[in-house]
Amino acid sequence: MASDILTSLELDKEFQSGKIIVVKEINGCDSAFITSCVLGHCIKNKNAVFVISIHNSFLHYHNVGLKMNYNLQKSIDMGLVNFYELGKELVDCILDFNNPTQDLLCKITEKINGMSEKHGSVNIIFDGISHLLDLQFDLREVNQICKEIIDCVRSFNNSFALFHCIALEDNVTNVLANLLAHKADIVAEVESLSSGLSADVSGHLTFKYLYKKYQKEHLQTLDVKTFQYLYKLFDRGVKLLAPGTV
Amino acid sequence: MTSFHKTSSFHTTLRGTKLKNNLIYISSGIPSLDFIIGGGLPAGSVFLVEEDVLGSHSRVLTKYFLAEGVVCKHDLYVASADESPQDIVKELPQPCTAPNEEKSSHDSGGEMKIAWRYEGLGKVESSFGSNTNFGHHFDLSKHIDQDTLQNCNISYCHLLQSESNIDGFRNNLYHTLLTKIKTTLSKEEYKSCSKNKNILRISIQSLGSPVWMAMDCDTQTTYGQDLVKFLYCLRILVRDTNAVIFITMPSHLFDDDRLIDRILYTVDNAVAIESFTGSSKETNPVFSEYHGLFHITKLSALHSLVPFVPPSLDLAFKLRRKKFVIEKLHLPPELQESSEREQDDITAVPKSCGGFKKKDIDF
């Protein structure tokens, strides 16, 4: 039950060069379900994925994946998925008085290049990139890491890079989210309900297809149309609903 | 070899735990709190309690958390920079049997028949977790004796500030506590794959108090940076272990109101206590039955797509002599306090019809 998300992110289509997708979490909403849907899609289609996880753990994605009918552990054993728990490495660096910023970029590009040699093209998912700011990476360093990942992905055919970030008001995380959104082809904004929690609807999901700005039919318009949905999470998937159809 | 294997029998040998979504859950010690946060505290997670202004009610929650650990024979780790951890553990509430006072009050009503049109409606549940078998009930007026405490595995960490500079943190307390927790968590019994496992309950009292934030007051640009970094490191250290971290935080003392949003992103689950003591709500008749409001500020979906949705977000708590209870907030019925009868209302009957009574005349 992930087809709605995959269709909205246009991952069911083939594309010439790398696609950059940014998922913004607004109002403390969790967007890990998008990663789970995208991972399932890649595993099903046997596309190589490099997951850099700072926010959620491997066990979380593995358990969710089992409910969504794919086996993350098995895909890792096969070499199709490389799950890099960057958070653990950074925390070990901090506790050992090492500077976590050094060599991080080299490690990431090394792993990406290693996978691309084996599989041709590599899709990249970066979960919780805003935590780098918590670990005292400055905006320039985070931007550099994002730029390198984007450059790698754009050099592959038919691959994507998916960044998860939070956007808190009046905060450096908002600056990072805007920075990434500026580079993105598709932006998905995940927002919790302003009225609280509901058993019927999990939140709002807005898609912005920024790459369409440069297409002939949209050259004369100032802003590209956004697509707003409500989404509901189930045990085994996600369903998108048009506003008012709950 | 397949990755599918049944783990339920392996996990449920741990006393005072239950399994949900292939994740161990423990009780907070308060059945109503367990109910509203989805059944308990998941192992490998960080639970944050934003303290009330005086900190008295959040201290009660900590005592319940530790007392539940004593009863279930879990290991305890108590850390504090503001007060001695031994003092926190001295007055833990004693376990008691489940209270029956609610049942007896219903029985004493006699044979009362509800009107037929309301028979089909569901019963309004104000209290939560009263029918659960998970967790224990405690009596706040009695304390666990010292002999029982001495038989428990309790580690204390009283953090004292030193002048030494630590790379990575401006305040050395953060690094000291992280290193000690990491060393404790490296023990075999707290690893999720261990055969002789036990739960470790880590309590950090008043994290983010002025003792912790003293170094940050000089600057606005990096205010709270150490605290957020510390919490992230804690999240990673405790993940995939059999430990649960219970933190109380006086967020009302923060200089920057936006700091709590970043903190909430870093922890797994969080609640906030708003006590009425000293505020205008204390004398508000609307809240006469309660001692404060209870806010759920974050509930994560751990090992699941769907986060838990509590039955209500309008919650209040009562601190009775013997127990702490979280209930659904109900406003009292709108009853006029005036005993004036309708026929005495001079505005209702016009003067020409003899509406004025002798008592209404001022002279």
Side-chain angles (χ1 to χ4, degrees), chain A residues 54-55 67 134 136 170, chain B residues 21 229 232 239 258 262:
Chain A
I54 304 185
H55 189 63
K67 289 181 187 172
D134 297 337
Q136 288 175 306
D170 299 328
Chain B
N21 289 330
K229 189 170 165 182
Y232 178 76
R239 182 181 282 177
R258 297 163 300 180
R262 285 188 73 178

Side-chain angles (χ1 to χ4, degrees), chain A residues 91-92 95-96, chain B residues 77 155 157 175-191 200 202 233-234 237-238 241 243:
Chain A
V91 168
D92 288 339
L95 293 178
D96 294 337
Chain B
Y77 188 96
S155 305
C157 179
H175 190 274
T176 307
L177 183 53
L178 276 175
T179 313
K180 289 187 179 187
I181 289 177
K182 186 181 178 184
T183 308
T184 307
L185 286 173
S186 63
K187 291 181 185 172
E188 190 58 34
E189 60 263 35
Y190 305 132
K191 293 183 183 165
L200 174 65
I202 301 175
C233 293
L234 212 57
L237 285 179
V238 79
T241 65

Side-chain angles (χ1 to χ4, degrees), chain A residues 57-71:
Chain A
S57 67
F58 159 74
L59 273 179
H60 167 79
Y61 287 120
H62 176 62
N63 278 288
V64 172
L66 289 177
K67 289 181 187 172
M68 293 181 79
N69 216 18
Y70 63 86
N71 192 325

Side-chain angles (χ1 to χ4, degrees), chain A residues 33 54-55 57 59-60 63 66-67 71 73 87 95 97 131 133-134 136 166 168 170-171 233-234, chain B residues 3-4 21-22 166 168 175 178 182 225 228-229 232 235 239-240 258 262 265 301 303-306 310:
Chain A
F33 65 92
I54 304 185
H55 189 63
S57 67
L59 273 179
H60 167 79
N63 278 288
L66 289 177
K67 289 181 187 172
N71 192 325
Q73 180 63 61
L95 293 178
F97 306 115
H131 278 305
L133 299 169
D134 297 337
Q136 288 175 306
I166 56 163
L168 300 171
D170 299 328
N171 199 286
L233 295 168
F234 297 91
Chain B
S3 300
F4 291 92
N21 289 330
N22 203 24
I166 301 282
H175 190 274
L178 276 175
K182 186 181 178 184
Q225 192 81 37
V228 177
K229 189 170 165 182
Y232 178 76
R235 176 191 173 99
R239 182 181 282 177
D240 302 335
R258 297 163 300 180
R262 285 188 73 178
Y265 178 55
H303 289 207
S304 167
L305 269 180
V306 191

Side-chain angles (χ1 to χ4, degrees), chain B residues 261-318:
Chain B
D261 291 331
R262 285 188 73 178
I263 288 169
L264 287 177
Y265 178 55
T266 314
V267 301
D268 294 295
N269 297 314
V271 297
I273 302 178
E274 181 190 342
S275 168
F276 295 151
T277 310
S279 76
S280 58
K281 289 176 183 168
E282 194 176 12
T283 51
N284 190 333
V286 165
F287 300 122
S288 57
E289 288 183 22
Y290 307 103
H291 293 108
L293 298 177
F294 201 86
H295 305 283
I296 298 175
T297 46
K298 182 172 180 181
L299 288 176
S300 291
L302 292 175
H303 289 207
S304 167
L305 269 180
V306 191
F308 176 72
V309 177
S312 173
L313 289 180
D314 295 319
L315 302 167
F317 67 86
K318 294 178 190 176

